[in-house]
Amino acid sequence: MATMENARGKSGGLGHMLYDERVRNVLYQLITFCTVGFLAYYLFTNTAHNIEARGMSSGFGFITQTAGFDTDFKLIEYTAGQGTYGRIYIVGMLNTLFVSVLAIVFTTIIGFFFGILRLSNNWIVSKLAAGYVEVLRNTPLLMQIIYWYLGVFALLPRPKQSAELIGGSLLNNRGLYMPSPIYGDLFWLTAIAIVAAIVAVVMIRRWAHKRQDLTGQIFPVFWVGLAVLIALPGVVFLITGSPLSWEYPELKGFNYQGGVRLPPAFLAMLVALSIYHSCYIAEMVRAGIQAVHKGQTEASHSLGVRPGRTLQLVIIPQAMRAIVPPMISTWMNVVKNSSLAVAIGYPDIVSVFMQTSLNQSGYAIEIVGMTMLFYMVVSLSISACMNIYNKRVQLKER
Amino acid sequence: MTAAMEAAAAGREQIDSSASTDVMIQMNGVNKWFGEFHVLKDINLTVHAKERIVICGPSGSGKSTLIRCLNRLEEHQEGDIIIDGVTLDSNLKNIDQVRSEVGMVFQSFNLFPHLSVLQNCTLAPIWVRKMPKSEAEEVAMEYLERVRIPEQAAKFPGQLSGGQQQRVAIARALCMSPRVMLFDEPTSALDPEMISEVLDTMVELASTGMTMLCVTHEMGFAKRVADRVIFMDGGEIIEQNTPHEFFDNPQSDRTKLFLSQIIGHG
Amino acid sequence: MSTVDTAKLGGGAPDRPPPIATVGVIGWLRTNLFGSVVDSILTIVSMVIIYYAFSALLDWAVFNAIWEAENRRECLNINKETGTSGACWAGVIIWFNAIIYGRYPYEEQWRINFAFIVLVLWLAPMWMPRVKEKLVYGLSAVVFYPFLGAALFAGGERGLFLQIMMSAAIVFFVYNCVNALVGLLSGNDLPDTLREKLGIQGKSDKAQRNILLAIAAVAFAVVFALTFTWTVPNVTWTKWGGLFLTLVISGIGITAALPGGIVLALGRRSQLPVIRVISVTFIEVFRSVPLITILFMATTMFPLFLPEGFTLNKLLQVIVAVCLFNACYMAEVVRAGLQAIPKGQYEAADAMGLGYWKMMGLVIMPQALKYMIPNIVGNFIGLLKDTTLVSIIGLFDVLNIIQSAISRDVPWRGLHKEPLFVGALIFFIICFAMSKYSQHLERKLSTDHR
């Protein structure tokens, strides 16, 4: 705001006070505060009155009440008639996070793939990738979710005629069945070997960098690291007698029992979310890489640095600065859009808490508040991560 | 006229300007098209080692394109380009070899903004010549001192002025010990007060016997330092001569018109 | 340097055409499709994939499709007989009217079509080059058209307020059309032409203005009187549906969100802590939660917020929720637009002593709007797609009609793919066209500023 000169002239007076900028500022804030406050008070009293008049209950005591319904899919122990609403809240949260995190992983991979295709010199490939992006972008996500659910996963064969996949997994209209692992006595050794392999790769990387600094020789860290990650746990596993067996899903009656089951609603959500958001990430990848000035590539090539190294040392570090912040926003959108699960019956937090629990218990305000609180916490955490990333990679300028 | 230029002009007779009969760059019948546009027409050019050449001409005459063909930033469709005995074609090995012997300085500096000044200079030596880091840093500091900004080594390009950035760019190219240095309008993007510091650096470089091809509008620089001035227009070489002959006795009408327009701004 | 025109001197080597293999169709093919071995393989593989995908799609959607049938069973039988799999468009065709208009009575649908044509005519002059003062068209549409629309869509009894606003809307619409015509024909605008025709140019400015206003007032009174007794049958909001409902919700959402977004964005940039905190909190809360939670909140909590006896129907609840939600996203668009204005503009306005509101209204906002338009169009595309969420809470938008009505209608039970395909196509056409337009605008605006 401009610093205007204080009105001077004749002594004091209320009229002149009104022209004083400081007085005005305080006045504006006071008016806003009072208006908002009055509005809030008005809504509050109405609500309280209405709740009483309708005989609804309020307060957070319902969290310890038992919920009388069951959910199709849960990651933690919960039994209808024994679990509380509080537990349902957690079940819903975990379901939301489960599908969101998996979708984020897949959508990032698919997005980068199509983003790079989009930059290809081959005209057909580039246009195909562009078509992929345009079709997904201009169709509502909810329609895509419903299409995958009704048009694909519900049309799968019945359990008796399941499609058999590798490793003993099956696909049918009740979901994806996968064998669940049964860990033998000595499996913990393999687990330690995995951790040890990761530590080893980190140390190899450090050693390779030091060696390059000293002697200039370049070490193939990637391939060696990959080999170690596979070989070390692999060898330990075999030596300890392969202590891993599987519980395979078995057909008992009309359905399969045993193993791990991912319901069709979950699969539809996962596929739809991954594919839909990948088109946005593809565009971000394309824009980020194209944002790097062509002169950077030219300067690097003119120094004799090969295209592959140029990508690694010059282009990608700069492109990442443009790609990562909007990509993190897209990840947040994945979490928010997972709430559309309520349309196809996947028991995420909106479906299981905001819809079912609310209808059954009637604690509208508390439940809405708790659900929105969950999303706000997730959103704030992701924003914080983004801010940390931005601070770390900020280009230093005058 | 800067002090360095005067010193160079005075001392030029002592520098062995045409010592080499070694041919560094040979261009025979080079033609290039951008789509339908014929941008380089039958270019024939011979550059000996240690020669300092200034290329001038109106914009759109193909001068930048010519030198960008020399390190394969642009591809020519017809003709031969041979640099230090290596024929420049689509063979990747040849391209790599040429690029390690030819250094380039750009109009817009093109420093890597995410790396420090020192890292900019050591990147190519470490990853192309596979030098150990300490050795690369020593070499880099040497050249940073040559261009007179060793104290900025830890700074980032965004923190430097235009003149400083361009001098870092020169040092960065020199760290690969090139045999030829190409300059593509190195001072055109600089504020006037910073042009002289860059020109001084280039003059000092010339005095060490580096083969230089310089596209520039700085005619004062050409007069004092160049062995040969080449005038290009419409994609062809119209005239080339020693600076003295070129400025005092232009042969072609086009050269005369061009000179009449720019002398007085130099 | 470019002032040296040596070309005028003539002479010099002539241009030669480039080698055949590098230009024209062959050159393009070589670089873009067959540049290297890997490239060529990719090209061939892609073309094979495209061929198979397209021929399968065409077979299903066109060549083997069934355009007339009584029910789904008939479609399936036909497919069995011919041994192919063809799309059962018959069901979609029968339901197509509902997909567009919802359950709006067939005899009254002319009102929707009429209102749509009025809107197109109202806004069309904004794209005509010779017409002056384009902003008036847009602004008058935003302020007055909703009332005309409400009167036409809902029908029934009109209160005094609605009658006044509707008459004003009609007057503005007629004014706009005549203004545009006059502008196209003569290059002047209507007030100037009227001044000429009435011969009042000699009088003082104030007198001229009063005469024109008097004419406007008379026109308004005439319209008011004429339409006072004109009514159309009432169509309750429960019958509104289909693409019509989608456009109503998103249309109101985008027009109400813009002023709201401007207010919030200015509040967010304010130096006054109370205003800034309130704005930031509001924006961040609404932006961090999914739209479906806002819609659920609206349908469960809005009835509680209102005093007894005062009810909002579900459609209004949803519209309010959508407007609040979108205002926060619009606030971010406005903020980006304001940030694009160089600080020097603010300083120049301050130096002239304009004061905050004049500075914003006369200097900053007009410039910022230009930067914001492509993003506003993007926002509208997003809003259009988001309106499909109202199907979850029971409003009969396009998706709801497609999904439930068709597949729950007994003859067409189980028909999913074909209606979804058509619905997706409708959205795709609208959204794709708008996004191409927005890209065109962006290009035009960025080259304008050289």
Side-chain angles (χ1 to χ4, degrees):
Chain A
M1 221 110 144
T3 31
M4 296 183 285
E5 285 193 352
N6 289 338
R8 4 157 184 239
K10 313 189 183 88
S11 54
L14 192 60
H16 286 279
M17 263 210 359
L18 275 179
Y19 282 104
D20 185 340
E21 182 176 295
R22 292 166 303 176
V23 173
R24 269 214 180 162
N25 287 347
V26 173
L27 206 60
Y28 284 144
Q29 293 185 73
L30 206 57
I31 295 178
T32 316
F33 188 73
C34 288
T35 322
V36 173
F38 178 69
L39 192 64
Y41 175 73
Y42 179 69
L43 291 176
F44 184 72
T45 42
N46 275 339
T47 313
H49 179 242
N50 281 326
I51 289 185
E52 229 189 278
R54 297 181 197 200
M56 290 168 65
S57 11
S58 66
F60 283 94
F62 78 99
I63 294 186
T64 48
Q65 276 180 29
T66 49
F69 61 95
D70 197 3
T71 65
D72 191 28
F73 178 76
K74 40 193 175 282
L75 289 172
I76 57 174
E77 280 300 313
Y78 168 83
T79 344
Q82 283 181 21
T84 60
Y85 281 111
R87 203 163 178 83
I88 281 282
Y89 184 54
I90 298 183
V91 167
M93 269 201 296
L94 289 176
N95 283 352
T96 294
L97 290 172
F98 183 55
V99 74
S100 305
V101 169
L102 279 179
I104 286 176
V105 169
F106 285 126
T107 197
T108 309
I109 296 174
I110 301 175
F112 267 87
F113 176 68
F114 276 99
I116 293 173
L117 278 189
R118 188 81 175 78
L119 291 166
S120 162
N121 285 326
N122 187 313
W123 184 85
I124 291 190
V125 169
S126 170
K127 288 299 174 195
L128 272 181
Y132 174 85
V133 167
E134 288 299 331
V135 167
L136 290 177
R137 243 201 324 207
N138 292 310
T139 323
L141 173 58
L142 190 52
M143 264 189 193
Q144 296 182 31
I145 292 176
I146 291 177
Y147 167 73
W148 286 106
Y149 185 60
L150 291 179
V152 176
F153 287 102
L155 296 183
L156 289 170
R158 275 182 294 225
K160 288 224 165 108
Q161 292 139 349
S162 306
E164 297 196 357
L165 307 170
I166 52 165
S169 307
L170 319 140
L171 201 55
N172 57 49
N173 66 6
R174 295 259 312 146
L176 174 68
Y177 290 85
M178 297 183 295
S180 58
I182 303 175
Y183 302 103
D185 285 335
L186 292 177
F187 187 77
W188 60 275
L189 282 170
T190 310
I192 292 187
I194 295 177
V195 173
I198 296 177
V199 171
V201 169
V202 169
M203 290 177 56
I204 290 178
R205 204 162 162 260
R206 276 214 201 135
W207 168 84
H209 279 167
K210 278 222 176 70
R211 180 166 170 263
Q212 184 182 13
D213 284 349
L214 280 176
T215 65
Q217 289 167 11
I218 302 174
F219 188 78
V221 173
F222 179 72
W223 297 112
V224 171
L226 197 62
V228 167
L229 274 175
I230 296 178
L232 186 58
V235 164
V236 170
F237 184 72
L238 290 171
I239 293 180
T240 53
S242 309
L244 188 64
S245 55
W246 300 94
E247 182 194 345
Y248 288 95
E250 305 259 320
L251 184 59
K252 294 202 170 75
F254 285 110
N255 285 321
Y256 278 85
Q257 306 282 353
V260 168
R261 179 179 151 257
L262 297 172
F266 171 84
L267 296 170
M269 282 305 296
L270 184 61
V271 172
L273 285 174
S274 305
I275 291 190
Y276 179 73
H277 291 98
S278 72
C279 79
Y280 290 100
I281 292 191
E283 278 300 289
M284 286 165 201
V285 169
R286 181 188 67 86
I289 293 188
Q290 282 182 335
V292 179
H293 203 257
K294 194 169 169 235
Q296 295 286 302
T297 323
E298 289 185 349
S300 186
H301 285 171
S302 71
L303 285 169
V305 180
R306 284 213 160 173
R309 287 277 175 225
T310 303
L311 259 184
Q312 174 198 346
L313 300 170
V314 176
I315 307 295
I316 289 185
Q318 295 186 61
M320 274 306 174
R321 282 167 171 80
I323 295 177
V324 170
M327 188 170 71
I328 295 188
S329 281
T330 304
W331 290 355
M332 187 58 219
N333 282 342
V334 172
V335 178
K336 285 196 285 183
N337 284 331
S338 69
S339 59
L340 295 179
V342 67
I344 58 172
Y346 173 67
D348 79 314
I349 192 174
V350 169
S351 162
V352 110
F353 199 61
M354 206 170 187
Q355 196 182 44
T356 317
S357 300
L358 198 154
N359 286 338
Q360 295 220 347
S361 72
Y363 288 79
I365 301 190
E366 293 80 358
I367 288 184
V368 167
M370 284 168 74
T371 315
M372 289 172 74
L373 183 67
F374 164 71
Y375 282 105
M376 282 194 273
V377 166
V378 172
S379 169
L380 281 171
S381 330
I382 294 188
S383 292
C385 287
M386 186 148 64
N387 284 337
I388 294 177
Y389 175 81
N390 274 338
K391 278 227 166 62
R392 267 191 60 190
V393 299
Q394 211 168 40
L395 291 177
K396 298 200 179 52
E397 295 184 3
R398 298 209 256 199
Chain B
M1 215 37 51
T2 69
M5 279 205 221
E6 288 183 354
R12 197 164 55 142
E13 285 68 47
Q14 282 122 27
I15 296 174
D16 218 344
S17 55
S18 57
S20 264
T21 45
D22 299 344
V23 170
M24 196 48 123
I25 300 176
Q26 181 71 44
M27 295 175 83
N28 295 327
V30 173
N31 280 283
K32 177 167 175 57
W33 286 264
F34 278 131
E36 294 281 339
F37 176 50
H38 197 175
V39 62
L40 290 178
K41 302 176 185 170
D42 269 340
I43 302 289
N44 293 296
L45 178 65
T46 309
V47 179
H48 298 272
K50 299 193 185 169
E51 260 200 282
R52 286 84 48 112
I53 299 194
V54 164
I55 307 178
C56 62
S59 58
S61 55
K63 354 185 255 296
S64 285
T65 312
L66 190 151
I67 63 168
R68 283 161 66 92
C69 283
L70 292 176
N71 67 352
R72 203 68 177 179
L73 286 183
E74 303 287 353
E75 280 179 35
H76 59 283
Q77 277 92 17
E78 273 182 23
D80 299 311
I81 299 181
I82 303 163
I83 299 184
D84 203 14
V86 178
T87 309
L88 199 53
D89 53 19
S90 51
N91 185 325
L92 288 176
K93 270 218 170 83
N94 290 351
I95 297 178
D96 279 345
Q97 188 166 359
V98 166
R99 281 178 175 169
S100 64
E101 299 200 9
V102 173
M104 187 155 187
V105 175
F106 299 85
Q107 179 176 357
S108 46
F109 332 136
N110 288 340
L111 292 180
F112 306 132
H114 60 296
L115 300 176
S116 72
V117 161
L118 191 64
Q119 287 168 330
N120 263 275
C121 295
T122 55
L123 181 124
I126 290 179
W127 290 93
V128 179
R129 298 218 198 274
K130 310 220 185 351
M131 257 190 222
K133 184 163 157 196
S134 46
E135 200 183 310
E137 286 184 351
E138 256 181 63
V139 170
M141 287 307 295
E142 228 181 87
Y143 283 110
L144 286 175
E145 269 170 36
R146 280 265 299 266
V147 300
R148 288 185 242 275
I149 40 169
E151 71 280 359
Q152 309 285 4
K155 291 245 176 82
F156 283 79
Q159 297 171 301
L160 303 179
S161 74
Q164 289 171 322
Q165 287 188 54
Q166 193 63 298
R167 286 188 281 155
V168 170
I170 296 176
R172 177 178 69 172
L174 290 174
C175 282
M176 286 295 280
S177 309
R179 304 195 62 191
V180 178
M181 280 287 276
L182 306 173
F183 292 85
D184 188 358
E185 305 210 27
T187 57
S188 295
L190 295 177
D191 292 333
E193 66 270 15
M194 294 195 254
I195 294 182
S196 53
E197 73 192 52
V198 173
L199 287 180
D200 284 347
T201 312
M202 289 164 67
V203 165
E204 200 256 315
L205 186 61
S207 70
T208 63
M210 171 71 76
T211 315
M212 290 165 64
L213 269 89
C214 199
V215 172
T216 183
H217 305 301
E218 297 290 328
M219 293 300 131
F221 174 78
K223 273 190 201 167
R224 302 296 169 164
V225 172
D227 295 318
R228 215 192 325 167
V229 178
I230 297 179
F231 174 68
M232 274 185 77
D233 187 19
E236 20 166 17
I237 295 180
I238 306 290
E239 198 172 322
Q240 47 183 313
N241 224 327
T242 64
H244 185 252
E245 284 298 311
F246 182 83
F247 288 109
D248 293 340
N249 225 349
Q251 303 292 316
S252 152
D253 283 337
R254 291 171 161 202
T255 322
K256 290 180 191 159
L257 181 59
F258 176 72
L259 287 176
S260 69
Q261 302 256 4
I262 62 159
I263 296 292
H265 295 246
Chain C
M1 281 302 129
S2 51
T3 55
V4 182
D5 200 357
T6 51
K8 284 211 186 99
L9 289 174
D15 281 356
R16 266 199 290 131
I20 297 182
T22 59
V23 281
V25 177
I26 302 184
W28 184 89
L29 281 176
R30 273 191 65 189
T31 33
N32 289 319
L33 291 183
F34 298 104
S36 66
V37 178
V38 174
D39 240 2
S40 311
I41 298 180
L42 274 177
T43 303
I44 295 176
V45 167
S46 313
M47 293 190 79
V48 167
I49 294 180
I50 293 178
Y51 173 73
Y52 277 114
F54 266 98
S55 50
L57 184 65
L58 275 177
D59 280 341
W60 176 78
V62 179
F63 299 127
N64 299 329
I66 302 152
W67 304 91
E68 272 182 30
E70 292 289 314
N71 53 47
R72 188 161 178 255
R73 183 117 312 265
E74 202 181 313
C75 279
L76 292 172
N77 289 340
I78 296 179
N79 272 335
K80 255 203 210 120
E81 278 167 38
T82 53
T84 57
S85 134
C88 189
W89 295 128
V92 180
I93 293 178
I94 291 179
W95 275 89
F96 195 69
N97 187 282
I99 292 179
I100 305 290
Y101 297 102
R103 297 188 300 161
Y104 211 86
Y106 190 67
E107 326 76 65
E108 306 294 332
Q109 284 176 6
W110 65 270
R111 287 148 61 175
I112 298 179
N113 299 334
F114 180 65
F116 182 70
I117 295 176
V118 165
L119 184 63
V120 170
L121 287 176
W122 198 320
L123 293 176
M126 287 172 78
W127 278 267
M128 298 179 193
R130 286 188 71 184
V131 171
K132 295 187 192 169
E133 281 190 46
K134 301 194 172 155
L135 197 57
V136 176
Y137 296 93
L139 222 52
S140 60
V142 166
V143 173
F144 289 106
Y145 179 78
F147 297 99
L148 183 59
L152 277 172
F153 298 147
E157 286 292 319
R158 284 192 297 273
L160 186 62
F161 177 70
L162 191 55
Q163 175 68 22
I164 295 177
M165 295 306 268
M166 188 190 81
S167 312
I170 297 177
V171 171
F172 259 101
F173 175 60
V174 172
Y175 168 79
N176 278 338
C177 289
V178 179
N179 201 358
L181 265 173
V182 166
L184 278 175
L185 293 174
S186 70
N188 281 332
D189 63 4
L190 188 56
D192 284 338
T193 319
L194 276 180
R195 277 178 243 232
E196 250 188 86
K197 288 278 154 59
L198 295 175
I200 55 173
Q201 274 144 328
K203 309 207 176 166
S204 73
D205 270 348
K206 202 164 178 206
Q208 287 185 22
R209 197 185 50 158
N210 287 341
I211 294 181
L212 289 176
L213 278 177
I215 296 180
V218 166
F220 174 78
V222 167
V223 171
F224 188 93
L226 281 178
T227 55
F228 197 73
T229 47
W230 169 76
T231 52
V232 279
N234 180 297
V235 178
T236 67
W237 64 272
T238 48
K239 295 224 190 286
W240 298 15
L243 187 61
F244 162 59
L245 183 63
T246 300
L247 288 176
V248 164
I249 296 179
S250 37
I252 298 182
I254 202 81
T255 48
L258 191 51
I262 292 178
V263 167
L264 282 172
L266 290 180
R268 187 172 188 160
R269 283 171 63 103
S270 164
Q271 311 280 35
L272 309 177
V274 167
I275 296 183
R276 192 172 62 239
V277 165
I278 293 180
S279 306
V280 169
T281 317
F282 194 80
I283 295 177
E284 288 306 319
V285 165
F286 274 82
R287 266 167 45 95
S288 58
V289 295
L291 177 58
I292 192 70
T293 56
I294 306 282
L295 292 178
F296 272 143
M297 180 186 85
T299 47
T300 53
M301 283 166 63
F302 279 7
L304 299 177
F305 286 159
L306 298 167
E308 273 207 57
F310 198 83
T311 50
L312 276 181
N313 64 51
K314 197 191 280 189
L315 178 59
L316 280 172
Q317 289 170 353
V318 161
I319 289 180
V320 170
V322 165
C323 290
L324 286 174
F325 184 75
N326 210 38
C328 296
Y329 281 85
M330 192 62 84
E332 289 301 290
V333 170
V334 174
R335 189 163 78 113
L338 290 175
Q339 267 174 341
I341 308 289
K343 194 151 171 270
Q345 295 289 311
Y346 292 93
E347 293 173 348
D350 275 347
M352 286 197 285
L354 276 180
Y356 183 75
W357 293 107
K358 285 224 179 66
M359 168 177 77
M360 280 298 164
L362 296 173
V363 177
I364 306 294
M365 273 302 170
Q367 294 184 61
L369 269 165
K370 264 207 257 180
Y371 288 115
M372 295 193 300
I373 287 180
N375 282 337
I376 293 181
V377 176
N379 193 307
F380 182 55
I381 296 177
L383 183 57
L384 207 64
K385 294 189 295 175
D386 282 344
T387 51
T388 48
L389 267 67
V390 306
S391 64
I392 299 180
I393 50 175
L395 286 179
F396 287 98
D397 79 309
V398 182
L399 183 56
N400 201 336
I401 303 255
I402 286 176
Q403 189 192 347
S404 341
I406 296 184
S407 57
R408 285 196 206 140
D409 189 25
V410 176
W412 300 102
R413 253 256 178 84
L415 190 73
H416 297 303
K417 275 206 256 228
E418 287 80 350
L420 274 173
F421 186 83
V422 169
L425 196 61
I426 294 177
F427 272 98
F428 181 78
I429 293 174
I430 300 178
C431 295
F432 185 69
M434 280 200 292
S435 84
K436 280 297 165 214
Y437 179 63
S438 150
Q439 283 170 12
H440 163 79
L441 274 180
E442 229 172 328
R443 268 194 302 265
K444 218 179 90 160
L445 290 172
S446 63
T447 51
D448 265 354
H449 286 93
R450 284 308 114 193

